[in-house]
Amino acid sequence: MGPRIRSRKNAIIQLNLMVVGMTGLGKTSFIRTFCETLVTRKIEQKQIPALQGPVGKTIDSYSMTFDIEEEGEKIALTIVDTPGLTDDFNLDKQLYEVLHYLEYQFDITLAEESKVKRNPKALDNQIHACLYFIDPSKKGLTLSDIRVLKKLTTRVNVIPVVAKADQLTISQRNSIKKAIFHDIFEQHKIRIYGFPEDDSDPSSTSAAAKDESDSDDDLVGRPRTSGTDATRPRTSGTDATRPRTSGTDYTNADADSDDEDAASDMDDITVLRKIMPFSVISYEEDPEGLPVEIVDPATGERLKGRQYPWGIVDVLDPNHCDFATLRGVLLTTHRKIFKDITFEKYYEQYRTEKLLARKASRLMREDVKKKILDDLRDL
């Protein structure tokens, strides 16, 4: 029993995330801010070129891997940044490259499964969740957003994110969230992560989430073992995810009152659905690419955020944006569910398509061969 306990204790969980969206929405800045909140086991891991110097335009896709600890668990976290999509004739080509990357990871797994002797130490390269960034200046989803989302959701768990939320008032933020929710769940029925499998009306979920039965949890592919840590509500003990109280009153008494209840039960998919899309803000950087030092005048606490003439925005304060909530969803409460759905739904679907395509190709070759032989006999 001793060796088994040591084995589980030292196990490293793999988690792979991707960031996709139109150009100019601060995807790379978000990644930098996200990485600043990570508790890495090796400090030099944060000293990678992509995180150094002023933020530049992402030309080619690249990935970075961190060995982190989250609530006592060791995680090998890989983040893939992609070039910004453009709303023009290049969109199809750019989207193809993203989908090709996702499918290539499935191909690696399929090739490993096809071996007579599999490698027990093979890495899980599949992308478990994809953050899709949405322009805050729009009234909702654009036609290009809808097009991209419908394609992405055939291959990966997609989580919609409203970028640069500091540009929005509370009223504007709530309005765009409602518009995007309507576009995704009601009008276009885009099957992002958390979409009800029975096509039930998710708007009724928003109105009465507390009165719903637990059966809705199963609609999004809950882990088969209900007692796993993935289904247990969590609150992070790290400073990076602990809600903060800023000395500046940035909030409004009319803000959604459901947010506090949601934060306490984020493992419930019906609660998570109410918050979607997540609104995020990235910290401010100086000309050298380093976080601007901001001190809360009321508490003296150093914050990661942005300072304006009218006050301070703390990116980790849930009253200001959903950054800390999104971080918790990715790294703790829904991490295992992401991985389960990726393998059981998206990989298995791709594998089935691939095997059927091979079978069809083989049958087609046999038909062609038979026709040629028949033609030769007729000569």
Side-chain angles (χ1 to χ4, degrees):
M1 188 171 184
R4 181 178 300 177
I5 293 176
R6 286 198 298 272
S7 169
R8 291 180 60 185
K9 182 178 178 181
N10 296 326
I12 297 178
I13 303 165
Q14 290 180 269
L15 179 66
N16 307 318
L17 308 176
M18 174 182 273
V19 178
V20 178
M22 294 294 168
T23 187
L25 296 183
K27 297 183 295 299
T28 303
S29 295
F30 167 83
I31 289 176
R32 287 190 174 202
T33 305
F34 188 84
C35 291
E36 279 292 319
T37 70
L38 300 176
V39 181
T40 57
R41 286 184 281 147
K42 297 179 181 178
I43 189 63
E44 62 270 15
Q45 283 195 319
K46 290 189 177 181
Q47 300 173 354
I48 59 178
L51 301 179
Q52 307 300 313
V55 176
K57 184 177 181 180
T58 303
I59 305 301
D60 298 305
S61 297
Y62 65 91
S63 64
M64 58 190 84
T65 300
F66 304 90
D67 294 323
I68 68 172
E69 287 192 12
E70 191 70 21
E71 297 190 350
E73 295 181 311
K74 297 177 181 179
I75 303 175
L77 173 66
T78 297
I79 303 175
V80 180
D81 192 8
T82 60
L85 305 175
T86 55
D87 194 4
D88 56 23
F89 63 90
N90 287 317
L91 181 60
D92 283 340
K93 179 177 181 296
Q94 295 164 341
L95 182 55
Y96 169 81
E97 291 174 352
V98 174
L99 293 172
H100 178 71
Y101 182 93
L102 294 169
E103 293 175 351
Y104 179 69
Q105 312 313 312
F106 290 147
D107 286 332
I108 294 175
T109 303
L110 184 57
E112 181 63 32
E113 286 188 344
S114 302
K115 294 179 180 178
V116 175
K117 186 176 181 181
R118 300 179 185 177
N119 180 9
K121 297 183 180 180
L123 297 177
D124 177 9
N125 296 304
Q126 299 171 17
I127 300 298
H128 304 120
C130 173
L131 304 181
Y132 183 77
F133 277 57
I134 300 170
D135 191 339
S137 66
K138 308 299 182 183
K139 301 297 183 182
L141 296 181
T142 65
L143 292 177
S144 294
D145 288 330
I146 295 168
R147 189 174 179 182
V148 173
L149 284 171
K150 285 188 173 181
K151 289 289 187 180
L152 285 178
T153 51
T154 63
R155 291 292 181 253
V156 68
N157 293 301
V158 176
I159 301 174
V161 172
V162 177
K164 300 182 177 181
D166 55 314
Q167 298 180 2
L168 304 171
T169 66
I170 292 177
S171 176
Q172 290 171 333
R173 181 188 64 189
N174 293 340
S175 177
I176 191 174
K177 277 193 165 194
K178 289 178 182 177
I180 294 172
F181 184 95
H182 172 77
D183 288 343
I184 291 177
F185 289 97
E186 298 170 11
Q187 183 172 355
H188 299 286
K189 298 189 182 299
I190 303 172
R191 309 187 77 83
I192 64 169
Y193 176 73
F195 192 93
E197 293 296 330
D198 62 353
D199 289 335
S200 62
D201 182 9
S203 61
S204 61
T205 302
S206 301
K210 293 182 180 179
D211 296 330
E212 288 187 343
S213 66
D214 292 336
S215 60
D216 279 348
D217 292 341
D218 297 329
L219 298 179
V220 293
R222 278 280 189 190
R224 292 168 181 167
T225 304
S226 59
T228 61
D229 59 351
T231 62
R232 190 169 61 244
R234 302 187 178 202
T235 53
S236 176
T238 64
D239 293 338
T241 57
R242 187 171 62 247
R244 295 173 174 173
T245 302
S246 174
T248 304
D249 185 12
Y250 178 72
T251 61
N252 188 317
D254 295 330
D256 292 343
S257 60
D258 292 334
D259 289 349
E260 293 182 2
D261 295 334
S264 65
D265 196 20
M266 280 309 301
D267 70 321
D268 188 339
I269 191 61
T270 60
V271 175
L272 177 68
R273 198 181 299 134
K274 291 196 303 178
I275 301 177
M276 288 185 176
F278 293 93
S279 61
V280 298
I281 302 172
S282 301
Y283 64 61
E284 185 178 359
E285 295 185 356
D286 63 21
E288 297 181 357
L290 299 174
V292 172
E293 184 174 307
I294 299 175
V295 179
D296 190 323
T299 63
E301 184 181 7
R302 292 185 178 181
L303 309 176
K304 290 182 174 66
R306 295 175 176 269
Q307 189 163 19
Y308 295 94
W310 43 261
I312 295 173
V313 174
D314 180 2
V315 301
L316 297 176
D317 188 335
N319 294 316
H320 296 180
C321 69
D322 301 321
F323 187 101
T325 304
L326 175 60
R327 182 188 185 280
V329 166
L330 294 172
L331 298 182
T332 56
T333 56
H334 289 250
R335 182 193 66 223
K336 188 177 188 304
I337 307 175
F338 289 141
K339 292 170 66 71
D340 288 346
I341 294 177
T342 298
F343 184 81
E344 296 173 7
K345 176 182 176 181
Y346 292 109
Y347 170 69
E348 286 299 329
Q349 176 181 310
Y350 179 78
R351 176 178 174 274
T352 300
E353 292 174 3
K354 202 79 171 177
L355 294 178
L356 287 176
R358 290 178 183 175
K359 183 177 180 180
S361 177
R362 185 170 61 251
L363 292 175
M364 188 178 299
R365 289 196 300 268
E366 291 176 356
D367 289 344
V368 171
K369 180 180 178 181
K370 182 175 183 299
K371 186 177 185 306
I372 292 175
L373 291 175
D374 291 340
D375 291 342
L376 289 174
R377 293 191 189 96
D378 293 340
L379 290 177

